[in-house]
Amino acid sequence: MIAFQTIRARAEKRKGGAAALGRLMPPRPDPKALAKLRDDHVLAEMTKRVFSAGFAWSVIESKWPGFEAAFLGFEPARLAFEPDDFWDGLVKDTRIVRNGAKIGSVRLNARLVQDVAKEHGSFGKFLAGWPSSDEAGLLELLANRGCRLGGNTGQMLLRFLGWDGFVTSRDVVACLRDAGLDVADEVKSKRDLKLVQDQFNAWANETGLPYVHLSRICAFSIGENHAEHEVLES
């Protein structure tokens, strides 16, 4: 594998220098802020990521006030015990995207958030205590105990909640493969995910950078080179 500095230098050149690349980096993840997340915020973000998967994000954003009203502010304790009639009614509710399977996932994920909060004090505290060096394990937990939270949906959920991790986007995987990592074009197997995890762990040790920065620098080092304002607006 090549040193991460080579990848970073390529990203800097593509984005117009070190300062320009730095402007495209999000703030360093803050475990203290993560630990303070409310459980209703976590369930809301789970729902947003599930409904956005395979769908236009702009549509979900435009209808989001309707989602918040329909799902009772995403209070896990309340939703986990709503009767079947409540959930059946949501399939006909025009305030939201009426996808029965995704609507049902909210009910199951409310129970997940509630169960984890009972075990750890809150879902945010649970996330704050999980090391970035084992994102693969966290993703497996989300996939097994949650509903429709596997794969890229789980990764994007963690990213939007502010947990420090990588995302195996097309450009990130292309960067890893270009650097010499033997993984498929789409990282789906446990074997490939472990290889990706090990490589990001090595780069984190090499550079001291947070995983979210490593991931974004990888993405910016290869593939279509979007202008800075396009990246900041996305």
Side-chain angles (χ1 to χ4, degrees), residues 151-179:
N152 185 257
T153 299
Q155 294 176 22
M156 294 307 296
L157 167 67
L158 296 174
R159 174 68 57 84
F160 276 92
L161 287 176
W163 190 83
D164 185 22
F166 57 79
V167 172
T168 54
S169 66
R170 180 178 58 186
D171 286 342
V172 169
V173 175
C175 172
L176 288 163
R177 285 167 55 85
D178 181 75

Side-chain angles (χ1 to χ4, degrees), residues 8 46 73 89 100 114 145 163 201 212:
R8 184 170 189 164
M46 285 180 175
Q114 190 176 41
R145 293 184 61 180
W163 190 83
N201 291 349
V212 62

Side-chain angles (χ1 to χ4, degrees), residues 29-39 41-43 45-46 112-113 116-117 119-135 137-139 141-142 149 154-165:
D30 181 0
K32 291 182 179 179
L34 193 60
K36 293 178 182 178
L37 287 179
R38 291 168 53 96
D39 288 332
H41 175 80
V42 172
L43 182 58
E45 197 59 56
M46 285 180 175
L112 166 65
V113 172
V116 170
E119 296 166 9
H120 299 273
S122 72
F123 204 94
K125 289 179 181 177
F126 161 71
L127 289 178
W130 196 287
S132 297
S133 58
D134 186 27
E135 180 172 348
L138 181 53
L139 292 172
L141 182 147
L142 290 173
L149 297 178
Q155 294 176 22
M156 294 307 296
L157 167 67
L158 296 174
R159 174 68 57 84
F160 276 92
L161 287 176
W163 190 83
D164 185 22

Side-chain angles (χ1 to χ4, degrees), residues 49-199:
R49 292 309 115 215
V50 167
F51 274 86
S52 295
F55 207 79
W57 288 19
S58 59
V59 174
I60 303 302
E61 288 291 347
S62 68
K63 295 177 76 71
W64 196 245
F67 274 81
E68 292 179 323
F71 288 107
L72 310 178
F74 295 103
E75 295 181 30
R78 185 175 179 185
L79 287 174
F81 293 102
E82 285 293 336
D84 291 343
D85 288 349
F86 170 82
W87 299 97
D88 292 340
L90 287 176
V91 179
K92 304 173 185 140
D93 195 327
T94 58
R95 294 175 295 178
I96 64 174
V97 173
R98 291 166 288 174
N99 181 303
K102 292 186 176 184
I103 289 170
S105 76
V106 183
R107 187 181 200 178
L108 296 174
N109 289 332
R111 293 171 182 166
L112 166 65
V113 172
Q114 190 176 41
D115 289 345
V116 170
K118 286 179 180 177
E119 296 166 9
H120 299 273
S122 72
F123 204 94
K125 289 179 181 177
F126 161 71
L127 289 178
W130 196 287
S132 297
S133 58
D134 186 27
E135 180 172 348
L138 181 53
L139 292 172
E140 183 175 14
L141 182 147
L142 290 173
N144 291 340
R145 293 184 61 180
C147 183
R148 306 179 78 93
L149 297 178
N152 185 257
T153 299
Q155 294 176 22
M156 294 307 296
L157 167 67
L158 296 174
R159 174 68 57 84
F160 276 92
L161 287 176
W163 190 83
D164 185 22
F166 57 79
V167 172
T168 54
S169 66
R170 180 178 58 186
D171 286 342
V172 169
V173 175
C175 172
L176 288 163
R177 285 167 55 85
D178 181 75
L181 196 65
D182 179 23
V183 294
D185 289 337
E186 293 186 40
V187 173
K188 294 183 177 180
S189 69
K190 285 186 178 181
R191 172 210 176 258
D192 282 2
L193 188 59
K194 183 181 185 305
L195 288 173
V196 172
Q197 180 75 73
D198 289 345
Q199 189 53 53

Side-chain angles (χ1 to χ4, degrees), residues 190-227:
K190 285 186 178 181
R191 172 210 176 258
D192 282 2
L193 188 59
K194 183 181 185 305
L195 288 173
V196 172
Q197 180 75 73
D198 289 345
Q199 189 53 53
F200 272 101
N201 291 349
W203 280 339
N205 290 332
E206 175 190 335
T207 65
L209 291 172
Y211 287 65
V212 62
H213 287 192
L214 295 170
S215 184
R216 295 204 80 181
I217 291 169
C218 278
F220 293 147
S221 74
I222 204 166
E224 187 173 353
N225 192 12
H226 295 282

